[in-house]
Amino acid sequence: MAGKIDKWPLKVKEIYSNGHDLNFYRFVINSLPIAVATVNSEFKITGFNPWAEQLTGYSEKEAIGHFCGDILQGGMCKINCPLRAIVKKRQAVIRMDTDITDRSGKTIPVRMNTAGLFDDKGQLLGGLEAFQDISHIKALEREKANLISMFAHDIKSSLTIIGGFVLRLIKKRPSLDEEKKIKYLNIMKNETGKLSFLVNDFLEFSRLQTGGLKLEFSATFLDKELMELFDAYQVKAKQTGINLELENEEELPIIEADANRLRRVFANLLDNAFKFSKNEGTVTISTDQTEKDIVVRVKDEGIGIDPEDLPYIFESFNRGKGAEKREGFGLGLATVKAIVEAHGGQVLVKSELGKGSVFKVILPKERVEQEPVE
């Protein structure tokens, strides 16, 4: 081990010489769930943990002794190297979002934290760069921007259609027969419904973001709520060629809940099931209960969810593979999760590509006091 001490910044060598076990510090760095590279005063790599190896494609053996810029090929390396900025500004730590290039030439967005080690005279002894892949975060940001743009476009489109037919009714009213008037009014009604849906989705999202989701609890008979939803969605089921079934053989107890919000939960889950179902597929609502909880499942036989998307499906503005060409802004499942958790419950999902998904809503029979949703 003594032969490897020179590969580490001086501060670590001092720690080692004072009786601390360098193996422990190496173990800590290697165990961190983030990529870490250490460098000496010449900016040459002296340590490269397994996460750094995985992210860059270079082994520790290949990286050590090379300039960090040659290995990371960061977007700021040639323009404004964080380590050089630390030397010039005498800052202890610099945090930034930038990018690196892995061994295969792929550009990876990363969140970089760079720290310098200085002696008493302010001379750089070495440094550490900790970085993590933020590809998913950046993808969500792009998706959010795209969806907001789509939202504005859809609102403008509906308003343009409504405005056009209002103008026709005003200008051509004397010459229009009753059939055309009704046709125009129905078109306007449909577009107004679309606007209402869009606005409600974003109002709900705004409340979730600002902690403004407040529940109004009252005695709620879930059997009644689910039966009414089942009847309401029968028309949509027939129009889309989907078989809708309700399985609730055992009567559910009355619980303290916000009935309107829970209707929104199950409506969102049904909308999702219909959206991703195949023609002539079946969507099933089923219920059961345990000693402490009520369980409601919404099952479809649709396209399923990609395993890579499963951890993120309840995030706002997240739309997984297969959803790109379907309506929606990725807010429905985020709303479902927030409402269920505000009731003290949880929502779970199981899915298999090509075979469908099952969303399970678990609600406590006894009311659980919850803090306002943040």
Side-chain angles (χ1 to χ4, degrees), residues 161-171 188:
I161 292 170
I162 292 170
F165 281 103
V166 167
L167 195 60
R168 288 189 193 183
L169 286 170
I170 291 173
K171 287 187 173 182
M188 291 161 61

Side-chain angles (χ1 to χ4, degrees), residues 92-112:
V93 178
I94 288 180
R95 298 180 177 88
M96 66 173 67
D97 286 355
T98 181
D99 56 68
I100 63 172
T101 304
D102 71 9
R103 186 172 193 157
S104 68
K106 178 184 176 184
T107 299
I108 303 171
V110 295
R111 185 150 290 158
M112 177 82 73

Side-chain angles (χ1 to χ4, degrees), residues 120-162:
D120 294 338
K121 296 179 181 180
Q123 297 299 311
L124 185 71
L125 303 172
L128 177 147
E129 291 182 310
F131 47 100
Q132 61 187 126
D133 187 348
I134 56 171
S135 299
H136 179 68
I137 294 173
K138 291 298 181 182
L140 277 180
E141 288 175 355
R142 290 192 298 272
E143 184 75 356
K144 180 177 179 178
N146 290 337
L147 290 172
I148 290 174
S149 176
M150 286 168 55
F151 172 70
H153 175 270
D154 287 353
I155 283 185
K156 183 178 179 181
S157 176
S158 288
L159 287 174
T160 300
I161 292 170
I162 292 170

Side-chain angles (χ1 to χ4, degrees), residues 98 106 133 136 157 163 165 194 223 249 259 265 319 329 356 363:
T98 181
K106 178 184 176 184
D133 187 348
H136 179 68
S157 176
F165 281 103
K194 289 181 185 178
D223 280 334
E249 297 178 3
V265 164
R319 298 196 307 165
F329 296 90
L363 296 167

Side-chain angles (χ1 to χ4, degrees), residues 192-236:
T192 302
K194 289 181 185 178
L195 283 176
S196 178
F197 176 81
L198 290 171
V199 171
N200 283 338
D201 247 13
F202 270 74
L203 283 176
E204 200 77 65
F205 171 69
S206 177
R207 294 188 190 105
L208 295 178
Q209 293 294 91
T210 59
L213 179 61
K214 292 179 174 59
L215 304 181
E216 297 180 6
F217 285 88
S218 61
T220 301
F221 189 21
L222 270 181
D223 280 334
K224 172 179 173 292
E225 301 297 333
L226 293 173
M227 180 60 75
E228 289 179 356
L229 270 176
F230 174 74
D231 290 338
Y233 273 78
Q234 283 293 353
V235 175
K236 185 174 183 178

Side-chain angles (χ1 to χ4, degrees), residues 4 75 91 97 117 233 275 365 367:
K4 294 187 177 181
Q91 289 178 249
D97 286 355
L117 295 173
Y233 273 78
K275 186 188 300 183
K365 291 180 178 179
R367 180 177 170 183

Side-chain angles (χ1 to χ4, degrees), residues 169-183:
L169 286 170
I170 291 173
K171 287 187 173 182
K172 299 183 178 181
R173 186 178 55 181
S175 60
L176 288 175
D177 56 36
E178 198 64 23
E179 185 178 345
K180 277 199 172 181
K181 287 180 183 177
I182 293 173
K183 179 182 176 182

